[in-house]
C-alpha cells in the first residue's frame, strides 16, 4: 500500500493531473512518515496536523501541504526539521521517516513559492 504526499498546487495549469506537485511513498515508509507527522504536530499543533494529515479515504491516501498558508507552511517545515534534528539515536522506524522527509519531501518543499529559508 502506498500513497502520495501533495506539496503544492498550480491553478494556472489547466490539466487537473498536472496541477499538483506530489510524490509517491510506499508501504512502511508511508506509515513511518505518518508517525513522524503525529509526533511533531499532535501534542501542540493539532490544527496543522488536521490540515496536513486530514482523514484518509479507503483508496486515496495522502498528506497534503497544499492548504497551508505561507506562515503555516514555513512553521510546519521548521517544526519537522527541529524534531528530526533532536533525534539523537533514531530508531529504524524514525530513520525511515527521515528518509521520506530528506529525500522525498524536502526537495519539493524548497521549490514551493511559500518556502522561506530560516
Amino acid at each position: 500500500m502506498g500513497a502520495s504526499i501533495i506539496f503544492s498546487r498550480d491553478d494556472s495549469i489547466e490539466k487537473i493531473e498536472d496541477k499538483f506537485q506530489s510524490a509517491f511513498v510506499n508501504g512502511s515508509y508511508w506509515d513511518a512518515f505518518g508517525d513522524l507527522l503525529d509526533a511533531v504536530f499532535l501534542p501542540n499543533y493539532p490544527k496543522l496536523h488536521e490540515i496536513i494529515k486530514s482523514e484518509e479515504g479507503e483508496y486515496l491516501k495522502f498528506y497534503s501541504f497544499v492548504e497551508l498558508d505561507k506562515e503555516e507552511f514555513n512553521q510546519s517545515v521548521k517544526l519537522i526539521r527541529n524534531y528530526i534534528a533532536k533525534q539523537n539515536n533514531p530508531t529504524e522506524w524514525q530513520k525511515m521517516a527521515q528518509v521520506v522527509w530528506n529525500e522525498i519531501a524536502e526537495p519539493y518543499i524548497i521549490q514551493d513559492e511559500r518556502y522561506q529559508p530560516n
Side-chain angles (χ1 to χ4, degrees), residues 1-7 23-38 52-57 60-65 93 96-97 100 104:
M1 170 58 89
S4 291
I5 304 170
I6 304 170
F7 299 101
F24 182 77
V25 180
N26 203 354
S28 297
Y29 284 85
W30 173 260
D31 294 333
F33 189 66
D35 287 350
L36 171 72
L37 295 176
D38 289 347
I52 295 169
K53 198 176 174 188
S54 62
E55 289 300 313
E56 302 170 346
L60 179 64
K61 298 190 180 299
F62 63 91
Y63 303 140
S64 177
F65 289 76
W93 194 252
M96 290 167 62
V100 174
I104 297 172

PDB file of all heavy atoms in Angstrom, residues 1-7 23-38 52-57 60-65 93 96-97 100 104:
ATOM      1  N   MET A   1       0.854  -1.178   0.000  1.00  0.00           N
ATOM      2  CA  MET A   1       0.000   0.000   0.000  1.00  0.00           C
ATOM      3  C   MET A   1       0.893   1.232   0.000  1.00  0.00           C
ATOM      4  O   MET A   1       1.831   1.335   0.759  1.00  0.00           O
ATOM      5  CB  MET A   1      -0.881  -0.032   1.253  1.00  0.00           C
ATOM      6  CG  MET A   1      -1.657   1.263   1.493  1.00  0.00           C
ATOM      7  SD  MET A   1      -2.739   1.744   0.153  1.00  0.00           S
ATOM      8  CE  MET A   1      -4.217   0.908   0.624  1.00  0.00           C
ATOM      9  N   GLY A   2       0.613   2.163  -0.858  1.00  0.00           N
ATOM     10  CA  GLY A   2       1.346   3.402  -0.895  1.00  0.00           C
ATOM     11  C   GLY A   2       0.398   4.558  -1.050  1.00  0.00           C
ATOM     12  O   GLY A   2      -0.795   4.380  -1.218  1.00  0.00           O
ATOM     13  N   ALA A   3       0.941   5.743  -0.977  1.00  0.00           N
ATOM     14  CA  ALA A   3       0.101   6.917  -1.089  1.00  0.00           C
ATOM     15  C   ALA A   3       0.959   8.115  -1.468  1.00  0.00           C
ATOM     16  O   ALA A   3       2.153   7.986  -1.655  1.00  0.00           O
ATOM     17  CB  ALA A   3      -0.625   7.149   0.212  1.00  0.00           C
ATOM     18  N   SER A   4       0.320   9.275  -1.566  1.00  0.00           N
ATOM     19  CA  SER A   4       1.018  10.467  -2.022  1.00  0.00           C
ATOM     20  C   SER A   4       1.125  11.532  -0.946  1.00  0.00           C
ATOM     21  O   SER A   4       0.244  11.664  -0.104  1.00  0.00           O
ATOM     22  CB  SER A   4       0.291  11.089  -3.213  1.00  0.00           C
ATOM     23  OG  SER A   4       0.405  10.262  -4.334  1.00  0.00           O
ATOM     24  N   ILE A   5       2.192  12.277  -1.019  1.00  0.00           N
ATOM     25  CA  ILE A   5       2.334  13.500  -0.248  1.00  0.00           C
ATOM     26  C   ILE A   5       2.202  14.622  -1.264  1.00  0.00           C
ATOM     27  O   ILE A   5       2.950  14.682  -2.238  1.00  0.00           O
ATOM     28  CB  ILE A   5       3.705  13.590   0.445  1.00  0.00           C
ATOM     29  CG1 ILE A   5       3.938  12.370   1.336  1.00  0.00           C
ATOM     30  CG2 ILE A   5       3.800  14.874   1.260  1.00  0.00           C
ATOM     31  CD1 ILE A   5       5.355  12.278   1.866  1.00  0.00           C
ATOM     32  N   ILE A   6       1.235  15.500  -1.058  1.00  0.00           N
ATOM     33  CA  ILE A   6       0.976  16.578  -2.010  1.00  0.00           C
ATOM     34  C   ILE A   6       1.561  17.865  -1.439  1.00  0.00           C
ATOM     35  O   ILE A   6       1.261  18.240  -0.314  1.00  0.00           O
ATOM     36  CB  ILE A   6      -0.540  16.735  -2.261  1.00  0.00           C
ATOM     37  CG1 ILE A   6      -1.131  15.401  -2.731  1.00  0.00           C
ATOM     38  CG2 ILE A   6      -0.795  17.844  -3.273  1.00  0.00           C
ATOM     39  CD1 ILE A   6      -2.646  15.378  -2.767  1.00  0.00           C
ATOM     40  N   PHE A   7       2.381  18.526  -2.223  1.00  0.00           N
ATOM     41  CA  PHE A   7       3.113  19.676  -1.722  1.00  0.00           C
ATOM     42  C   PHE A   7       2.552  21.012  -2.170  1.00  0.00           C
ATOM     43  O   PHE A   7       2.461  21.944  -1.391  1.00  0.00           O
ATOM     44  CB  PHE A   7       4.589  19.575  -2.118  1.00  0.00           C
ATOM     45  CG  PHE A   7       5.229  18.356  -1.542  1.00  0.00           C
ATOM     46  CD1 PHE A   7       5.424  17.241  -2.315  1.00  0.00           C
ATOM     47  CD2 PHE A   7       5.581  18.302  -0.214  1.00  0.00           C
ATOM     48  CE1 PHE A   7       5.979  16.093  -1.789  1.00  0.00           C
ATOM     49  CE2 PHE A   7       6.137  17.168   0.334  1.00  0.00           C
ATOM     50  CZ  PHE A   7       6.341  16.062  -0.456  1.00  0.00           C
ATOM     51  N   ALA A  23       4.568  13.416  -4.506  1.00  0.00           N
ATOM     52  CA  ALA A  23       5.494  12.294  -4.556  1.00  0.00           C
ATOM     53  C   ALA A  23       4.808  11.076  -3.984  1.00  0.00           C
ATOM     54  O   ALA A  23       4.004  11.178  -3.055  1.00  0.00           O
ATOM     55  CB  ALA A  23       6.750  12.609  -3.757  1.00  0.00           C
ATOM     56  N   PHE A  24       5.123   9.922  -4.538  1.00  0.00           N
ATOM     57  CA  PHE A  24       4.551   8.662  -4.095  1.00  0.00           C
ATOM     58  C   PHE A  24       5.476   8.032  -3.058  1.00  0.00           C
ATOM     59  O   PHE A  24       6.679   7.989  -3.250  1.00  0.00           O
ATOM     60  CB  PHE A  24       4.393   7.725  -5.298  1.00  0.00           C
ATOM     61  CG  PHE A  24       3.772   6.418  -4.965  1.00  0.00           C
ATOM     62  CD1 PHE A  24       2.405   6.316  -4.770  1.00  0.00           C
ATOM     63  CD2 PHE A  24       4.547   5.287  -4.843  1.00  0.00           C
ATOM     64  CE1 PHE A  24       1.823   5.100  -4.467  1.00  0.00           C
ATOM     65  CE2 PHE A  24       3.977   4.068  -4.550  1.00  0.00           C
ATOM     66  CZ  PHE A  24       2.606   3.971  -4.354  1.00  0.00           C
ATOM     67  N   VAL A  25       4.899   7.559  -1.964  1.00  0.00           N
ATOM     68  CA  VAL A  25       5.670   6.906  -0.905  1.00  0.00           C
ATOM     69  C   VAL A  25       5.047   5.545  -0.662  1.00  0.00           C
ATOM     70  O   VAL A  25       3.829   5.423  -0.558  1.00  0.00           O
ATOM     71  CB  VAL A  25       5.630   7.738   0.399  1.00  0.00           C
ATOM     72  CG1 VAL A  25       6.427   7.045   1.498  1.00  0.00           C
ATOM     73  CG2 VAL A  25       6.166   9.133   0.147  1.00  0.00           C
ATOM     74  N   ASN A  26       5.874   4.532  -0.554  1.00  0.00           N
ATOM     75  CA  ASN A  26       5.366   3.183  -0.453  1.00  0.00           C
ATOM     76  C   ASN A  26       5.437   2.602   0.958  1.00  0.00           C
ATOM     77  O   ASN A  26       6.334   2.930   1.723  1.00  0.00           O
ATOM     78  CB  ASN A  26       6.147   2.280  -1.406  1.00  0.00           C
ATOM     79  CG  ASN A  26       5.378   1.037  -1.783  1.00  0.00           C
ATOM     80  OD1 ASN A  26       4.303   0.779  -1.267  1.00  0.00           O
ATOM     81  ND2 ASN A  26       5.942   0.268  -2.697  1.00  0.00           N
ATOM     82  N   GLY A  27       4.468   1.758   1.275  1.00  0.00           N
ATOM     83  CA  GLY A  27       4.457   0.870   2.427  1.00  0.00           C
ATOM     84  C   GLY A  27       4.865   1.431   3.765  1.00  0.00           C
ATOM     85  O   GLY A  27       4.289   2.383   4.267  1.00  0.00           O
ATOM     86  N   SER A  28       5.851   0.800   4.360  1.00  0.00           N
ATOM     87  CA  SER A  28       6.287   1.138   5.711  1.00  0.00           C
ATOM     88  C   SER A  28       6.824   2.562   5.805  1.00  0.00           C
ATOM     89  O   SER A  28       6.685   3.209   6.845  1.00  0.00           O
ATOM     90  CB  SER A  28       7.364   0.161   6.180  1.00  0.00           C
ATOM     91  OG  SER A  28       6.838  -1.139   6.240  1.00  0.00           O
ATOM     92  N   TYR A  29       7.423   3.047   4.747  1.00  0.00           N
ATOM     93  CA  TYR A  29       7.930   4.419   4.761  1.00  0.00           C
ATOM     94  C   TYR A  29       6.778   5.412   4.915  1.00  0.00           C
ATOM     95  O   TYR A  29       6.897   6.422   5.597  1.00  0.00           O
ATOM     96  CB  TYR A  29       8.746   4.718   3.499  1.00  0.00           C
ATOM     97  CG  TYR A  29      10.114   4.087   3.535  1.00  0.00           C
ATOM     98  CD1 TYR A  29      10.308   2.771   3.133  1.00  0.00           C
ATOM     99  CD2 TYR A  29      11.215   4.799   3.998  1.00  0.00           C
ATOM    100  CE1 TYR A  29      11.558   2.177   3.189  1.00  0.00           C
ATOM    101  CE2 TYR A  29      12.479   4.220   4.053  1.00  0.00           C
ATOM    102  CZ  TYR A  29      12.638   2.907   3.649  1.00  0.00           C
ATOM    103  OH  TYR A  29      13.885   2.337   3.714  1.00  0.00           O
ATOM    104  N   TRP A  30       5.645   5.108   4.278  1.00  0.00           N
ATOM    105  CA  TRP A  30       4.441   5.933   4.417  1.00  0.00           C
ATOM    106  C   TRP A  30       3.989   5.964   5.872  1.00  0.00           C
ATOM    107  O   TRP A  30       3.708   7.016   6.429  1.00  0.00           O
ATOM    108  CB  TRP A  30       3.344   5.369   3.519  1.00  0.00           C
ATOM    109  CG  TRP A  30       2.023   6.032   3.716  1.00  0.00           C
ATOM    110  CD1 TRP A  30       0.969   5.565   4.443  1.00  0.00           C
ATOM    111  CD2 TRP A  30       1.614   7.298   3.194  1.00  0.00           C
ATOM    112  NE1 TRP A  30      -0.069   6.460   4.396  1.00  0.00           N
ATOM    113  CE2 TRP A  30       0.307   7.525   3.633  1.00  0.00           C
ATOM    114  CE3 TRP A  30       2.233   8.252   2.393  1.00  0.00           C
ATOM    115  CZ2 TRP A  30      -0.409   8.666   3.307  1.00  0.00           C
ATOM    116  CZ3 TRP A  30       1.525   9.394   2.063  1.00  0.00           C
ATOM    117  CH2 TRP A  30       0.225   9.592   2.512  1.00  0.00           C
ATOM    118  N   ASP A  31       3.922   4.781   6.495  1.00  0.00           N
ATOM    119  CA  ASP A  31       3.489   4.686   7.881  1.00  0.00           C
ATOM    120  C   ASP A  31       4.459   5.398   8.820  1.00  0.00           C
ATOM    121  O   ASP A  31       4.040   6.087   9.759  1.00  0.00           O
ATOM    122  CB  ASP A  31       3.344   3.222   8.299  1.00  0.00           C
ATOM    123  CG  ASP A  31       2.224   2.520   7.541  1.00  0.00           C
ATOM    124  OD1 ASP A  31       1.263   3.198   7.100  1.00  0.00           O
ATOM    125  OD2 ASP A  31       2.308   1.285   7.377  1.00  0.00           O
ATOM    126  N   ALA A  32       5.741   5.249   8.571  1.00  0.00           N
ATOM    127  CA  ALA A  32       6.746   5.903   9.419  1.00  0.00           C
ATOM    128  C   ALA A  32       6.633   7.423   9.309  1.00  0.00           C
ATOM    129  O   ALA A  32       6.719   8.135  10.322  1.00  0.00           O
ATOM    130  CB  ALA A  32       8.154   5.446   9.014  1.00  0.00           C
ATOM    131  N   PHE A  33       6.429   7.931   8.108  1.00  0.00           N
ATOM    132  CA  PHE A  33       6.283   9.376   7.925  1.00  0.00           C
ATOM    133  C   PHE A  33       5.005   9.874   8.615  1.00  0.00           C
ATOM    134  O   PHE A  33       5.002  10.939   9.233  1.00  0.00           O
ATOM    135  CB  PHE A  33       6.281   9.750   6.442  1.00  0.00           C
ATOM    136  CG  PHE A  33       6.349  11.228   6.200  1.00  0.00           C
ATOM    137  CD1 PHE A  33       7.479  11.953   6.546  1.00  0.00           C
ATOM    138  CD2 PHE A  33       5.282  11.894   5.625  1.00  0.00           C
ATOM    139  CE1 PHE A  33       7.532  13.328   6.329  1.00  0.00           C
ATOM    140  CE2 PHE A  33       5.331  13.263   5.400  1.00  0.00           C
ATOM    141  CZ  PHE A  33       6.468  13.985   5.753  1.00  0.00           C
ATOM    142  N   GLY A  34       3.940   9.100   8.554  1.00  0.00           N
ATOM    143  CA  GLY A  34       2.713   9.447   9.257  1.00  0.00           C
ATOM    144  C   GLY A  34       2.929   9.542  10.755  1.00  0.00           C
ATOM    145  O   GLY A  34       2.424  10.457  11.418  1.00  0.00           O
ATOM    146  N   ASP A  35       3.707   8.612  11.297  1.00  0.00           N
ATOM    147  CA  ASP A  35       4.024   8.649  12.728  1.00  0.00           C
ATOM    148  C   ASP A  35       4.864   9.878  13.066  1.00  0.00           C
ATOM    149  O   ASP A  35       4.694  10.479  14.131  1.00  0.00           O
ATOM    150  CB  ASP A  35       4.752   7.381  13.153  1.00  0.00           C
ATOM    151  CG  ASP A  35       3.826   6.163  13.216  1.00  0.00           C
ATOM    152  OD1 ASP A  35       2.586   6.338  13.106  1.00  0.00           O
ATOM    153  OD2 ASP A  35       4.345   5.045  13.371  1.00  0.00           O
ATOM    154  N   LEU A  36       5.772  10.259  12.171  1.00  0.00           N
ATOM    155  CA  LEU A  36       6.563  11.473  12.373  1.00  0.00           C
ATOM    156  C   LEU A  36       5.644  12.690  12.431  1.00  0.00           C
ATOM    157  O   LEU A  36       5.774  13.535  13.330  1.00  0.00           O
ATOM    158  CB  LEU A  36       7.591  11.635  11.250  1.00  0.00           C
ATOM    159  CG  LEU A  36       8.340  12.973  11.212  1.00  0.00           C
ATOM    160  CD1 LEU A  36       9.332  13.072  12.354  1.00  0.00           C
ATOM    161  CD2 LEU A  36       9.036  13.172   9.879  1.00  0.00           C
ATOM    162  N   LEU A  37       4.707  12.788  11.505  1.00  0.00           N
ATOM    163  CA  LEU A  37       3.776  13.919  11.498  1.00  0.00           C
ATOM    164  C   LEU A  37       2.946  13.949  12.781  1.00  0.00           C
ATOM    165  O   LEU A  37       2.733  15.021  13.359  1.00  0.00           O
ATOM    166  CB  LEU A  37       2.866  13.858  10.271  1.00  0.00           C
ATOM    167  CG  LEU A  37       3.546  14.016   8.916  1.00  0.00           C
ATOM    168  CD1 LEU A  37       2.534  13.844   7.785  1.00  0.00           C
ATOM    169  CD2 LEU A  37       4.268  15.345   8.793  1.00  0.00           C
ATOM    170  N   ASP A  38       2.525  12.778  13.257  1.00  0.00           N
ATOM    171  CA  ASP A  38       1.785  12.710  14.520  1.00  0.00           C
ATOM    172  C   ASP A  38       2.641  13.229  15.676  1.00  0.00           C
ATOM    173  O   ASP A  38       2.181  14.026  16.494  1.00  0.00           O
ATOM    174  CB  ASP A  38       1.367  11.270  14.829  1.00  0.00           C
ATOM    175  CG  ASP A  38       0.275  10.750  13.902  1.00  0.00           C
ATOM    176  OD1 ASP A  38      -0.346  11.555  13.176  1.00  0.00           O
ATOM    177  OD2 ASP A  38       0.051   9.520  13.914  1.00  0.00           O
ATOM    178  N   ILE A  52      -2.645  18.975   7.410  1.00  0.00           N
ATOM    179  CA  ILE A  52      -1.680  18.157   6.659  1.00  0.00           C
ATOM    180  C   ILE A  52      -2.132  16.701   6.569  1.00  0.00           C
ATOM    181  O   ILE A  52      -2.061  16.076   5.519  1.00  0.00           O
ATOM    182  CB  ILE A  52      -0.281  18.222   7.308  1.00  0.00           C
ATOM    183  CG1 ILE A  52       0.269  19.647   7.205  1.00  0.00           C
ATOM    184  CG2 ILE A  52       0.677  17.222   6.655  1.00  0.00           C
ATOM    185  CD1 ILE A  52       1.515  19.881   8.034  1.00  0.00           C
ATOM    186  N   LYS A  53      -2.587  16.184   7.670  1.00  0.00           N
ATOM    187  CA  LYS A  53      -2.906  14.752   7.741  1.00  0.00           C
ATOM    188  C   LYS A  53      -4.405  14.584   7.941  1.00  0.00           C
ATOM    189  O   LYS A  53      -4.862  14.024   8.924  1.00  0.00           O
ATOM    190  CB  LYS A  53      -2.120  14.107   8.888  1.00  0.00           C
ATOM    191  CG  LYS A  53      -2.035  12.613   8.800  1.00  0.00           C
ATOM    192  CD  LYS A  53      -1.176  12.042   9.902  1.00  0.00           C
ATOM    193  CE  LYS A  53      -1.250  10.519   9.839  1.00  0.00           C
ATOM    194  NZ  LYS A  53      -0.608   9.891  10.974  1.00  0.00           N
ATOM    195  N   SER A  54      -5.156  15.095   6.986  1.00  0.00           N
ATOM    196  CA  SER A  54      -6.613  15.014   7.075  1.00  0.00           C
ATOM    197  C   SER A  54      -7.069  13.570   6.938  1.00  0.00           C
ATOM    198  O   SER A  54      -6.275  12.691   6.627  1.00  0.00           O
ATOM    199  CB  SER A  54      -7.260  15.889   6.009  1.00  0.00           C
ATOM    200  OG  SER A  54      -6.889  15.435   4.731  1.00  0.00           O
ATOM    201  N   GLU A  55      -8.333  13.339   7.152  1.00  0.00           N
ATOM    202  CA  GLU A  55      -8.867  11.975   7.056  1.00  0.00           C
ATOM    203  C   GLU A  55      -8.543  11.376   5.694  1.00  0.00           C
ATOM    204  O   GLU A  55      -8.725  12.007   4.669  1.00  0.00           O
ATOM    205  CB  GLU A  55     -10.380  11.986   7.269  1.00  0.00           C
ATOM    206  CG  GLU A  55     -10.775  12.267   8.693  1.00  0.00           C
ATOM    207  CD  GLU A  55     -10.238  11.240   9.673  1.00  0.00           C
ATOM    208  OE1 GLU A  55     -10.355  10.031   9.421  1.00  0.00           O
ATOM    209  OE2 GLU A  55      -9.674  11.660  10.692  1.00  0.00           O
ATOM    210  N   GLU A  56      -8.094  10.155   5.732  1.00  0.00           N
ATOM    211  CA  GLU A  56      -7.758   9.444   4.505  1.00  0.00           C
ATOM    212  C   GLU A  56      -8.938   8.595   4.066  1.00  0.00           C
ATOM    213  O   GLU A  56      -9.642   8.039   4.899  1.00  0.00           O
ATOM    214  CB  GLU A  56      -6.551   8.532   4.743  1.00  0.00           C
ATOM    215  CG  GLU A  56      -5.322   9.255   5.232  1.00  0.00           C
ATOM    216  CD  GLU A  56      -4.236   8.290   5.676  1.00  0.00           C
ATOM    217  OE1 GLU A  56      -4.517   7.101   5.858  1.00  0.00           O
ATOM    218  OE2 GLU A  56      -3.108   8.746   5.840  1.00  0.00           O
ATOM    219  N   GLY A  57      -9.120   8.489   2.781  1.00  0.00           N
ATOM    220  CA  GLY A  57     -10.148   7.601   2.258  1.00  0.00           C
ATOM    221  C   GLY A  57      -9.625   6.182   2.202  1.00  0.00           C
ATOM    222  O   GLY A  57      -8.457   5.923   2.460  1.00  0.00           O
ATOM    223  N   LEU A  60      -7.793   6.425  -1.452  1.00  0.00           N
ATOM    224  CA  LEU A  60      -6.963   7.602  -1.683  1.00  0.00           C
ATOM    225  C   LEU A  60      -6.341   8.028  -0.371  1.00  0.00           C
ATOM    226  O   LEU A  60      -7.027   8.483   0.532  1.00  0.00           O
ATOM    227  CB  LEU A  60      -7.811   8.744  -2.258  1.00  0.00           C
ATOM    228  CG  LEU A  60      -7.080  10.051  -2.523  1.00  0.00           C
ATOM    229  CD1 LEU A  60      -6.009   9.850  -3.595  1.00  0.00           C
ATOM    230  CD2 LEU A  60      -8.053  11.120  -2.961  1.00  0.00           C
ATOM    231  N   LYS A  61      -5.062   7.840  -0.250  1.00  0.00           N
ATOM    232  CA  LYS A  61      -4.358   8.203   0.981  1.00  0.00           C
ATOM    233  C   LYS A  61      -3.335   9.280   0.637  1.00  0.00           C
ATOM    234  O   LYS A  61      -2.568   9.136  -0.298  1.00  0.00           O
ATOM    235  CB  LYS A  61      -3.685   6.983   1.590  1.00  0.00           C
ATOM    236  CG  LYS A  61      -4.695   5.907   1.988  1.00  0.00           C
ATOM    237  CD  LYS A  61      -4.043   4.827   2.796  1.00  0.00           C
ATOM    238  CE  LYS A  61      -5.014   3.743   3.196  1.00  0.00           C
ATOM    239  NZ  LYS A  61      -6.119   4.163   4.011  1.00  0.00           N
ATOM    240  N   PHE A  62      -3.356  10.350   1.426  1.00  0.00           N
ATOM    241  CA  PHE A  62      -2.424  11.430   1.135  1.00  0.00           C
ATOM    242  C   PHE A  62      -2.186  12.285   2.367  1.00  0.00           C
ATOM    243  O   PHE A  62      -3.009  12.332   3.278  1.00  0.00           O
ATOM    244  CB  PHE A  62      -2.934  12.309  -0.008  1.00  0.00           C
ATOM    245  CG  PHE A  62      -4.231  13.008   0.302  1.00  0.00           C
ATOM    246  CD1 PHE A  62      -4.244  14.273   0.867  1.00  0.00           C
ATOM    247  CD2 PHE A  62      -5.436  12.398   0.029  1.00  0.00           C
ATOM    248  CE1 PHE A  62      -5.431  14.899   1.162  1.00  0.00           C
ATOM    249  CE2 PHE A  62      -6.639  13.028   0.318  1.00  0.00           C
ATOM    250  CZ  PHE A  62      -6.640  14.283   0.890  1.00  0.00           C
ATOM    251  N   TYR A  63      -1.042  12.931   2.396  1.00  0.00           N
ATOM    252  CA  TYR A  63      -0.737  14.010   3.329  1.00  0.00           C
ATOM    253  C   TYR A  63      -0.560  15.227   2.442  1.00  0.00           C
ATOM    254  O   TYR A  63       0.083  15.139   1.391  1.00  0.00           O
ATOM    255  CB  TYR A  63       0.548  13.747   4.109  1.00  0.00           C
ATOM    256  CG  TYR A  63       0.529  12.446   4.884  1.00  0.00           C
ATOM    257  CD1 TYR A  63       1.642  11.642   4.939  1.00  0.00           C
ATOM    258  CD2 TYR A  63      -0.613  12.025   5.567  1.00  0.00           C
ATOM    259  CE1 TYR A  63       1.643  10.457   5.646  1.00  0.00           C
ATOM    260  CE2 TYR A  63      -0.627  10.837   6.272  1.00  0.00           C
ATOM    261  CZ  TYR A  63       0.504  10.055   6.312  1.00  0.00           C
ATOM    262  OH  TYR A  63       0.489   8.879   6.999  1.00  0.00           O
ATOM    263  N   SER A  64      -1.119  16.349   2.829  1.00  0.00           N
ATOM    264  CA  SER A  64      -1.107  17.496   1.940  1.00  0.00           C
ATOM    265  C   SER A  64      -0.634  18.770   2.622  1.00  0.00           C
ATOM    266  O   SER A  64      -1.124  19.136   3.692  1.00  0.00           O
ATOM    267  CB  SER A  64      -2.509  17.725   1.371  1.00  0.00           C
ATOM    268  OG  SER A  64      -2.517  18.872   0.559  1.00  0.00           O
ATOM    269  N   PHE A  65       0.287  19.450   1.974  1.00  0.00           N
ATOM    270  CA  PHE A  65       0.775  20.754   2.418  1.00  0.00           C
ATOM    271  C   PHE A  65       0.110  21.868   1.611  1.00  0.00           C
ATOM    272  O   PHE A  65       0.426  23.033   1.780  1.00  0.00           O
ATOM    273  CB  PHE A  65       2.301  20.825   2.248  1.00  0.00           C
ATOM    274  CG  PHE A  65       3.059  19.960   3.218  1.00  0.00           C
ATOM    275  CD1 PHE A  65       3.127  18.591   3.051  1.00  0.00           C
ATOM    276  CD2 PHE A  65       3.703  20.526   4.312  1.00  0.00           C
ATOM    277  CE1 PHE A  65       3.817  17.791   3.953  1.00  0.00           C
ATOM    278  CE2 PHE A  65       4.398  19.733   5.219  1.00  0.00           C
ATOM    279  CZ  PHE A  65       4.454  18.361   5.040  1.00  0.00           C
ATOM    280  N   TRP A  93      12.599   2.887  12.482  1.00  0.00           N
ATOM    281  CA  TRP A  93      11.333   3.478  12.050  1.00  0.00           C
ATOM    282  C   TRP A  93      11.498   4.983  11.848  1.00  0.00           C
ATOM    283  O   TRP A  93      11.055   5.535  10.845  1.00  0.00           O
ATOM    284  CB  TRP A  93      10.279   3.173  13.106  1.00  0.00           C
ATOM    285  CG  TRP A  93       8.867   3.418  12.680  1.00  0.00           C
ATOM    286  CD1 TRP A  93       8.064   4.438  13.101  1.00  0.00           C
ATOM    287  CD2 TRP A  93       8.089   2.657  11.770  1.00  0.00           C
ATOM    288  NE1 TRP A  93       6.820   4.350  12.518  1.00  0.00           N
ATOM    289  CE2 TRP A  93       6.812   3.258  11.688  1.00  0.00           C
ATOM    290  CE3 TRP A  93       8.332   1.520  11.006  1.00  0.00           C
ATOM    291  CZ2 TRP A  93       5.799   2.753  10.886  1.00  0.00           C
ATOM    292  CZ3 TRP A  93       7.320   1.028  10.209  1.00  0.00           C
ATOM    293  CH2 TRP A  93       6.072   1.644  10.150  1.00  0.00           C
ATOM    294  N   MET A  96      13.435   5.742   8.767  1.00  0.00           N
ATOM    295  CA  MET A  96      12.617   5.619   7.552  1.00  0.00           C
ATOM    296  C   MET A  96      11.839   6.916   7.323  1.00  0.00           C
ATOM    297  O   MET A  96      11.758   7.402   6.192  1.00  0.00           O
ATOM    298  CB  MET A  96      11.668   4.427   7.669  1.00  0.00           C
ATOM    299  CG  MET A  96      12.382   3.089   7.603  1.00  0.00           C
ATOM    300  SD  MET A  96      11.371   1.677   8.106  1.00  0.00           S
ATOM    301  CE  MET A  96      10.064   1.716   6.916  1.00  0.00           C
ATOM    302  N   ALA A  97      11.286   7.479   8.393  1.00  0.00           N
ATOM    303  CA  ALA A  97      10.565   8.750   8.284  1.00  0.00           C
ATOM    304  C   ALA A  97      11.501   9.865   7.837  1.00  0.00           C
ATOM    305  O   ALA A  97      11.128  10.716   7.021  1.00  0.00           O
ATOM    306  CB  ALA A  97       9.912   9.104   9.622  1.00  0.00           C
ATOM    307  N   VAL A 100      12.043   9.744   4.113  1.00  0.00           N
ATOM    308  CA  VAL A 100      10.921  10.346   3.385  1.00  0.00           C
ATOM    309  C   VAL A 100      11.037  11.862   3.407  1.00  0.00           C
ATOM    310  O   VAL A 100      10.897  12.527   2.374  1.00  0.00           O
ATOM    311  CB  VAL A 100       9.563   9.903   3.970  1.00  0.00           C
ATOM    312  CG1 VAL A 100       8.418  10.642   3.299  1.00  0.00           C
ATOM    313  CG2 VAL A 100       9.383   8.398   3.813  1.00  0.00           C
ATOM    314  N   ILE A 104      12.457  12.812  -0.164  1.00  0.00           N
ATOM    315  CA  ILE A 104      11.244  12.963  -0.966  1.00  0.00           C
ATOM    316  C   ILE A 104      10.599  14.321  -0.726  1.00  0.00           C
ATOM    317  O   ILE A 104      10.351  15.071  -1.655  1.00  0.00           O
ATOM    318  CB  ILE A 104      10.250  11.818  -0.676  1.00  0.00           C
ATOM    319  CG1 ILE A 104      10.889  10.482  -1.088  1.00  0.00           C
ATOM    320  CG2 ILE A 104       8.947  12.049  -1.414  1.00  0.00           C
ATOM    321  CD1 ILE A 104      10.110   9.257  -0.681  1.00  0.00           C
TER     322      ILE A 104
END
